[in-house]
Amino acid sequence: MTRALILGGTSDANLLAAKIARAGVDAIYSYGGRTRAPTGQPLPTRSGGFGGVSGLADYIRQEGITHVIDATHPFAAEMSRNAVAACADTQTPLVALERAPWVRVPGDRWIEVPDLAAAVVALPETPSRVFLAIGRQHIAPFGEKPQHAYTLRFVDPPEGALPFKADVIVSRGPFTFEGEVDTLRSRGIAWIVARNSGGDGARAKIDASRALGLPVIMIARPQLPERLRVESVAEVLAWLGHRTCLGA
Ligand code: NAP
């Protein structure tokens, strides 16, 4: 009997959950617990960390999990590394549902950097309006360049003080090209800092930056251990042994 664990928190994971529920596969959806009101799921859900590799391995054993699907965000590297290790420990098959990264196209003014620290260095010294499209837990290093006027965008209003003064937009997205052009224009943004998440949901800001001729400091994805990787929900269903015609 199949009993799948979906490590989620992304729109791809949500799509997968809908298809898995429709296929009648027994599965549990796991949230990291960062968002206050996460999207409802058509599957049983759990929320919050497992307690590292050993905690996840214990969970897999206790819940009788037969397959793990890592559908976390490409930058949720700790969770993904833990999944590789816990699945190796428990000999549980693992697949990663991971969208392809964005590729630079003509007109893009990308400055590609390996990590957050390099993104801070890549920002100019002269005061500028900067859109940090990177998630609240990653903004602190930009306090090293306090001369800039930062715009941030979060799913939930920030709890407590931010590490520096900033213009905060609270919105869950997805965002449209027109909306992103308007956001960048109306705030007079001159630089964008983004992570190479890939996928359609987050790419409107990249397309809008290109259209406006704005430079994007693009942070590369973290390195992850070797694992089976697919890009579509249909491939995950096939991997689970459900080769049904589900329109995935
Ligand atoms: P992370 O740094 O890789 O994970 C840190 C710890 O949070 C993990 O070691 C694990 O704790 C717990 N965790 C993360 N994802 C979990 C999940 N789906 N279920 C249960 N525990 C989870 O992850 P993150 O970057 O903070 O992302 C957290 C969640 O937000 C993920 O579900 C991710 O898909 C989603 N998300 C992240 C981003 C992003 O930009 N990083 C963007 C959109 C959505 P234990 O070690 O205690 O098990």
Side-chain angles (χ1 to χ4, degrees), residues 113-123 217:
V113 295
D115 52 32
L116 214 49
V120 177
V121 171
L123 275 178
I217 297 174

Side-chain angles (χ1 to χ4, degrees), residues 58-80:
D58 288 347
Y59 182 87
I60 289 171
R61 288 191 195 97
Q62 279 157 19
E63 290 291 328
I65 300 297
T66 60
H67 294 73
V68 176
I69 303 149
D70 179 359
T72 57
H73 190 271
F75 281 78
E78 197 180 338
M79 186 70 258
S80 293

Side-chain angles (χ1 to χ4, degrees):
M1 275 292 284
T2 301
R3 184 161 163 79
L5 172 64
I6 302 173
L7 303 170
T10 60
S11 53
D12 291 339
N14 299 348
L15 186 64
L16 174 67
K19 300 285 184 188
I20 279 191
R22 271 178 56 196
V25 178
D26 184 14
I28 301 169
Y29 187 108
S30 178
Y31 276 112
R34 304 276 188 280
T35 305
R36 263 172 252 163
T39 314
Q41 297 299 335
L43 294 172
T45 59
R46 64 164 304 286
S47 182
F50 296 96
V53 175
S54 60
L56 178 56
D58 288 347
Y59 182 87
I60 289 171
R61 288 191 195 97
Q62 279 157 19
E63 290 291 328
I65 300 297
T66 60
H67 294 73
V68 176
I69 303 149
D70 179 359
T72 57
H73 190 271
F75 281 78
E78 197 180 338
M79 186 70 258
S80 293
R81 289 190 187 107
N82 290 354
V84 170
C87 287
D89 277 4
T90 56
Q91 300 197 336
T92 309
L94 166 72
V95 70
L97 172 59
E98 192 186 76
R99 43 197 148 135
W102 296 314
V103 176
R104 183 199 286 257
V105 300
D108 278 325
R109 291 179 60 201
W110 290 8
I111 298 160
E112 290 175 86
V113 295
D115 52 32
L116 214 49
V120 177
V121 171
L123 275 178
E125 296 303 327
T126 44
S128 305
R129 290 185 179 274
V130 180
F131 179 28
L132 295 183
I134 55 171
R136 95 183 58 188
Q137 65 269 46
H138 308 294
I139 62 173
F142 291 89
E144 286 168 32
K145 290 207 169 158
Q147 66 269 46
H148 299 311
Y150 293 103
T151 293
L152 314 173
R153 186 162 62 196
F154 301 143
V155 174
D156 295 313
E159 271 175 5
L162 293 169
F164 45 80
K165 206 166 144 275
D167 174 18
V168 178
I169 303 169
V170 177
S171 181
R172 186 185 283 267
F175 303 100
T176 63
F177 171 78
E178 292 75 17
E180 295 293 59
V181 167
D182 184 57
T183 297
L184 297 175
R185 264 207 190 119
S186 62
R187 290 179 158 76
I189 302 291
W191 289 79
I192 293 95
V193 179
R195 296 178 307 168
N196 198 334
S197 305
D200 294 333
R203 77 164 300 133
K205 61 180 176 284
I206 306 302
D207 295 337
S209 304
R210 182 188 317 114
L212 297 174
L214 298 177
V216 177
I217 297 174
M218 184 66 83
I219 304 172
R221 291 183 177 188
Q223 295 288 325
L224 291 174
E226 202 56 43
R227 63 211 171 131
L228 177 64
R229 206 186 125 256
V230 297
E231 286 184 21
S232 73
V233 167
E235 288 169 284
V236 176
L237 284 163
W239 177 78
L240 286 169
H242 288 260
R243 293 173 188 274
T244 45
C245 181
L246 292 161

